[in-house]
Amino acid sequence: MQIETNVLLFELALTFYFLSTISGIIEIFRGKKAASKISIYLAAMGFLFHTGNIIVRYAQGGHIPVTNMHEATSFFSWCILLLFFFHEFRYRLGMLSSFIMPIVFLFMFSSSIFPREIKVLSPVLQSYWFGIHVILAFLGDAAFAMACGIGIMYLLQERFVKSKHLGGLFQKLPSLQVLDEINYHLITLGFPLLTLAMITGVIWANSAWGSYWRWDPKEVWSLITWLIYALVLHLRLTVGWRGKKAAILSIVGFIIVIFAFLGVSLILKGQHTFM
Amino acid sequence: MNIIVIGLNHKTATVEIREKVAFDGPKLGEAVSQLKETPDVKENIVLSTCNRVEIYAGVGNNDNGAENIKSFLAEFHEVPRGPLDEALYIYKGHDAVKHIFRVASSLDSMVVGEPQILGQLKDSFDFALKSKSTGIYLNKLMKKAVSVAKRIRTETKIAESAVSISFAAVELAKKIFEDLSSKSFMLIGAGEMAELAAKHLINTGVQDVYVTNRTHERAEELAREFEGKVVPFEGYVDELQYIDIVICSTGAPDYILMKDQLHSVMKARKQKPMFIIDISVPRNIDPEINEMDNVYLYDVDDLQGVVDTNVEERSKEAAKAERIVEQEVHSFLKWQDSLAATPTIVALREKAETIRKEELEKVLRKLGPLEEEKIKAIEHLSNSIMNKLIHHPTAALKSEQDDRDVMIDIANRLFKLENEENNGDKK
């Protein structure tokens, strides 16, 4: 049986992400310094194959591959990794891959469960708004995913400092201030992206269906997400909800993002359900 | 050539003796050049720090060398031999190499893992190099010692965490704030440990320093010392909203900062994190403050706890380091052994070559004038006989086997070789 190139590339990416996640987790539980580097290299290998997979699917389908659940979750983990590598090179945070790669792998793994056929784009979606809208939305959500991972790191490190239990993991995790700042940066990155995604979505909806807002479940949940992160930013700037509270909110926020992203498409139906 | 170590350190000698035998300033140069003239001492390095005085030497004979160095020490410093001998330790061969590696890696230090000793050792070696008091053995040994120390530092966590209260405080501050240079710091009260911690913080880059004290003069004095500003003791709580790091150490019998006071401080500074170190005994800061968000309160016992865990961690890591030392000693001794065979191999070759040349000349003289080609053929014959004969003995001498010493000895006797190294009195 002949294996399609895009399937092969996907499986390779999935395998490398799995190995990267494993070595990242090893680093959490064992003091191996090398595990983190290995984790990053494995992730980079996976990312190359993954990029190949997306290019192949783009060439075959003629549009950005986000038109079914398989493609959407896969493209989402690709976006998270893009931001991950950017942060890894920019800040060189210790242990970042140990907390981000499991999220990446989770989405990649769920992607592998969904059917993989490349569909012809329905006429409604054939618009240049499509590309702009989904890229903005996916990058925004990817920033929230990163903020969630960093938030978990913050909570762990905060626990160590508060409980005065300063073990090996405390030594390897970045400082509280750096984690809090990057968490904040990521939300200030994700929030305008999400805002723009919603604006482009509204404009596009008007040109496609003739109305700006139809209370479609996806729209409702996107609005909820938007309100949550607006609240996170507002509380931080006015009453100083930073540190632990901001970390918890960014984790809660991302759980809602996941629901808006997967749950709505699977449980509630609407014009965003791709099918 | 044998390597020996003669010296004393904080474990074997009191500070009075260490002071007396220290080679400080110009004494070091004198010592190195005098040792160069000492019989049986072929190479030497002198290491002199406040915790140890050690002489590393390459000697022809262990006992003579050690004896000569001991009397040198006694004469140079004019100390009686009795108490000196009691404090001195002598390591030879394997133990000497091991000791030097342990010193370099800070395994022999008072505070295991402290980083200064390697620098001091390097300085001593540089000085010896300049004074031309070392040769191939000690040069190789020192380079190896430095690389062993570096290997241990990267492969183990022996020097990773702070083992004093004031350093532990700085380390924690870095894990809360990352960059301390943009942070402000207030010292409340005074006291030896608090001032030491303050000094470490300022050395790490804290620039915005405030000082407050019940006695105004004392505050002025500390402010001068730390280049900080004085805050009146009565109103210091009002200033806290601008402060990121607080070290408190007053003689007050009770809490001077309560939870609800700090609550409004945190509100005023929009919950920006604060790190508060309470070094006072009895404590001056309400311990419940640690329950507040974005406030991290450590008292003396907490810091001591951190230090204790770190010390424990270090001793665990030290065991790993000892294993590395043992490996490296083994590999160094192997190199030294291979060096021991070299003069024998050279001598063997030279002897064979001399014989070959002599015999060749004899036979050519007897044969009279010959064609060029025939001379070449005879020469070639003599060469290949010689090479084949000495090939196996050479290979045996080069091979890394335990009985190489015996082999060298046998080769010397079988071939009646004469060379400086092996006619010397090898142990």
Side-chain angles (χ1 to χ4, degrees):
Chain A
M1 198 182 79
Q2 203 193 341
I3 304 168
E4 278 183 67
T5 320
N6 80 72
V7 174
L8 180 68
L9 288 168
F10 181 90
E11 296 299 337
L12 281 169
L14 183 67
T15 312
F16 275 103
Y17 292 164
F18 175 68
L19 296 174
S20 168
T21 305
I22 294 296
S23 47
I25 289 171
I26 288 174
E27 214 213 336
I28 297 179
F29 292 102
R30 306 209 157 193
K32 296 271 179 280
K33 270 185 181 165
S36 162
K37 273 229 168 87
I38 293 171
S39 172
I40 292 165
Y41 288 137
L42 288 168
M45 285 296 290
F47 189 64
L48 284 180
F49 291 121
H50 198 174
T51 310
N53 161 274
I54 288 169
I55 291 172
V56 169
R57 288 190 83 103
Y58 180 86
Q60 286 176 355
H63 54 83
I64 298 175
V66 285
T67 48
N68 60 29
M69 285 308 287
H70 167 68
E71 292 181 339
T73 43
S74 153
F75 188 67
F76 183 53
S77 31
W78 188 86
C79 289
I80 301 175
L81 269 176
L82 195 69
L83 288 180
F84 164 71
F85 285 119
F86 176 77
H87 281 80
E88 183 60 41
F89 285 115
R90 174 103 187 258
Y91 301 106
R92 302 242 166 244
L93 294 180
M95 316 241 1
L96 187 59
S97 69
S98 304
F99 291 87
I100 300 300
M101 283 317 290
I103 301 178
V104 170
F105 177 71
L106 202 74
F107 280 95
M108 204 55 177
F109 181 71
S110 50
S111 170
S112 72
I113 297 170
F114 295 114
R116 302 180 182 188
E117 73 279 343
I118 298 174
K119 276 200 171 168
V120 180
L121 209 54
S122 71
V124 172
L125 297 177
Q126 283 174 10
S127 155
Y128 61 91
W129 285 113
F130 171 68
I132 298 170
H133 172 69
V134 296
I135 286 179
L136 288 171
F138 275 64
L139 277 178
D141 282 355
F144 296 143
M146 289 280 297
C148 168
I150 301 257
I152 294 169
M153 289 167 84
Y154 183 94
L155 289 184
L156 268 178
Q157 185 70 310
E158 204 261 357
R159 199 83 289 268
F160 291 139
V161 179
K162 269 274 187 235
S163 66
K164 290 148 193 186
H165 181 79
L166 312 179
L169 201 49
F170 160 81
Q171 301 285 354
K172 284 192 285 184
L173 281 168
S175 67
L176 290 173
Q177 177 167 349
V178 161
L179 288 171
D180 188 45
E181 271 170 13
I182 294 178
N183 180 283
Y184 176 58
H185 281 315
L186 281 162
I187 290 172
T188 55
L189 172 73
F191 186 69
L193 286 172
L194 180 65
T195 311
L196 287 173
M198 286 173 74
I199 292 171
T200 52
V202 162
I203 296 171
W204 179 28
N206 187 43
S207 68
W209 290 291
S211 72
Y212 290 106
W213 193 269
R214 293 150 48 106
W215 296 105
D216 162 271
K218 194 78 164 194
E219 291 172 356
V220 174
W221 280 93
S222 297
L223 187 64
I224 293 171
T225 316
W226 188 87
L227 287 171
I228 292 262
Y229 285 103
L231 190 72
V232 172
L233 289 176
H234 176 76
L235 287 173
R236 181 176 193 112
L237 295 174
T238 52
V239 287
W241 272 41
R242 60 177 81 234
K244 193 174 166 186
K245 288 192 178 107
I248 292 172
L249 279 181
S250 63
I251 296 167
V252 172
F254 185 62
I255 291 170
I256 291 170
V257 167
I258 295 181
F259 183 74
F261 184 45
L262 293 181
V264 170
S265 302
L266 293 176
I267 302 162
L268 315 162
K269 301 272 178 193
Q271 67 261 50
H272 275 87
T273 46
F274 314 117
M275 261 55 101
Chain B
M1 178 76 76
N2 298 299
I3 289 166
I4 60 169
V5 171
I6 294 185
L8 45 81
N9 65 15
H10 54 96
K11 285 176 213 155
T12 66
T14 57
V15 67
E16 286 80 27
I17 299 185
R18 296 205 307 268
E19 274 167 6
K20 264 183 209 151
V21 298
F23 295 98
D24 34 6
K27 279 190 195 165
L28 183 62
E30 273 170 52
V32 169
S33 36
Q34 277 192 34
L35 275 167
K36 259 167 94 176
E37 307 304 323
T38 307
D40 255 310
V41 179
K42 292 171 184 166
E43 303 183 21
N44 79 78
I45 291 173
V46 178
L47 172 71
S48 178
T49 75
C50 48
N51 280 334
R52 66 180 67 241
V53 174
E54 291 184 341
I55 293 168
Y56 307 148
V59 295
N61 175 291
N62 278 336
D63 297 333
N64 295 351
E67 188 50 40
N68 293 348
I69 292 172
K70 274 191 200 171
S71 15
F72 156 77
L73 275 171
E75 279 162 33
F76 190 94
H77 294 295
E78 293 165 4
V79 283
R81 274 299 292 270
L84 181 65
D85 279 14
E86 245 169 64
L88 284 176
Y89 42 79
I90 301 171
Y91 296 110
K92 303 167 185 172
H94 172 276
D95 295 341
V97 175
K98 184 174 167 182
H99 178 78
I100 294 172
F101 287 179
R102 291 187 76 244
V103 168
S105 328
S106 187
L107 286 167
D108 200 48
S109 300
M110 193 139 78
V111 179
V112 171
E114 56 92 9
Q116 284 97 331
I117 183 67
L118 184 60
Q120 289 161 336
L121 190 69
K122 277 185 193 161
D123 291 345
S124 300
F125 178 42
D126 283 345
F127 189 84
L129 277 179
K130 260 184 231 145
S131 323
K132 298 197 169 65
S133 71
T134 58
I136 149 170
Y137 286 90
L138 283 188
N139 288 351
K140 173 91 176 185
L141 181 63
M142 283 298 123
K143 278 177 196 146
K144 190 84 183 172
V146 172
S147 76
V148 171
K150 285 187 179 153
R151 184 180 159 200
I152 284 174
R153 202 167 296 171
T154 46
E155 287 182 24
T156 74
K157 293 179 205 147
I158 189 166
E160 208 155 77
S161 40
V163 286
S164 73
I165 283 185
S166 49
F167 269 115
V170 173
E171 205 167 78
L172 265 162
K174 280 190 195 158
K175 276 291 183 189
I176 296 169
F177 295 116
E178 187 75 26
D179 176 24
L180 299 185
S181 63
S182 59
K183 297 293 172 272
S184 52
F185 159 61
M186 185 188 279
L187 175 63
I188 305 172
E192 199 188 341
M193 218 188 286
E195 285 171 48
L196 198 60
K199 227 173 261 171
H200 284 318
L201 271 176
I202 292 164
N203 283 344
T204 321
V206 177
Q207 284 161 0
D208 204 8
V209 180
Y210 300 84
V211 176
T212 185
N213 201 295
R214 245 180 243 284
T215 20
H216 188 74
E217 293 74 43
R218 183 81 178 109
E220 292 277 354
E221 201 180 297
L222 286 166
R224 265 197 302 279
E225 190 185 339
F226 297 131
E227 293 173 29
K229 291 159 219 116
V230 175
V231 173
F233 190 74
E234 301 71 41
Y236 85 90
V237 177
D238 301 329
E239 297 296 317
L240 280 182
Q241 59 167 300
Y242 308 110
I243 304 297
D244 303 305
I245 305 168
V246 176
I247 293 181
C248 178
S249 170
T250 76
D254 216 335
Y255 300 151
I256 60 164
L257 185 63
M258 304 301 292
K259 198 176 173 184
D260 45 333
Q261 277 176 304
L262 196 66
H263 212 82
S264 33
V265 169
M266 287 306 284
K267 215 169 169 185
R269 57 190 270 115
K270 283 197 182 167
Q271 304 294 326
K272 274 201 305 188
M274 266 183 106
F275 180 31
I276 304 176
I277 302 150
D278 184 5
I279 294 181
S280 350
V281 179
R283 287 179 294 183
N284 283 168
I285 292 171
D286 183 3
E288 277 186 24
I289 277 177
N290 193 45
E291 288 158 21
M292 290 169 62
D293 258 2
N294 297 313
V295 182
Y296 307 95
L297 171 67
Y298 275 67
D299 63 31
V300 167
D301 287 355
D302 297 332
L303 289 173
Q304 190 57 51
V306 171
V307 167
D308 288 348
T309 347
N310 290 350
V311 168
E312 213 172 285
E313 192 59 31
R314 276 197 183 189
S315 52
K316 259 188 238 155
E317 292 297 312
K320 260 191 231 168
E322 297 283 2
R323 281 197 291 279
I324 295 178
V325 164
E326 206 50 64
Q327 278 172 19
E328 297 283 355
V329 169
H330 188 70
S331 97
F332 180 81
L333 291 177
K334 235 170 160 181
W335 171 83
Q336 205 186 354
D337 270 1
S338 75
L339 218 57
T342 313
T344 308
I345 295 168
V346 171
L348 177 60
R349 250 209 117 70
E350 270 169 10
K351 180 141 196 176
E353 183 69 17
T354 327
I355 295 172
R356 185 187 72 86
K357 273 195 182 143
E358 279 169 15
E359 297 304 312
L360 189 66
E361 261 171 46
K362 260 189 225 165
V363 82
L364 285 179
R365 236 182 290 133
K366 262 185 205 161
L367 287 172
L370 275 178
E371 294 148 54
E372 192 70 12
E373 257 175 47
K374 284 184 180 163
I375 296 179
K376 270 203 177 146
I378 295 171
E379 232 173 72
H380 183 77
L381 171 79
S382 67
N383 253 328
S384 53
I385 291 176
M386 179 194 81
N387 283 336
K388 284 205 172 131
L389 272 177
I390 65 170
H391 173 75
H392 288 295
T394 313
L397 284 167
K398 274 186 188 161
S399 76
E400 292 180 351
Q401 265 157 13
D402 295 338
D403 56 352
R404 186 158 42 199
D405 278 357
V406 183
M407 206 87 83
I408 291 169
D409 197 35
I410 292 174
N412 286 331
R413 275 155 58 194
L414 281 179
F415 295 102
K416 236 178 172 314
L417 299 176
E418 310 256 328
N419 67 67
E420 191 204 350
E421 196 65 36
N422 292 298
N423 281 1
D425 25 25
K426 214 170 178 286
K427 25 181 167 170

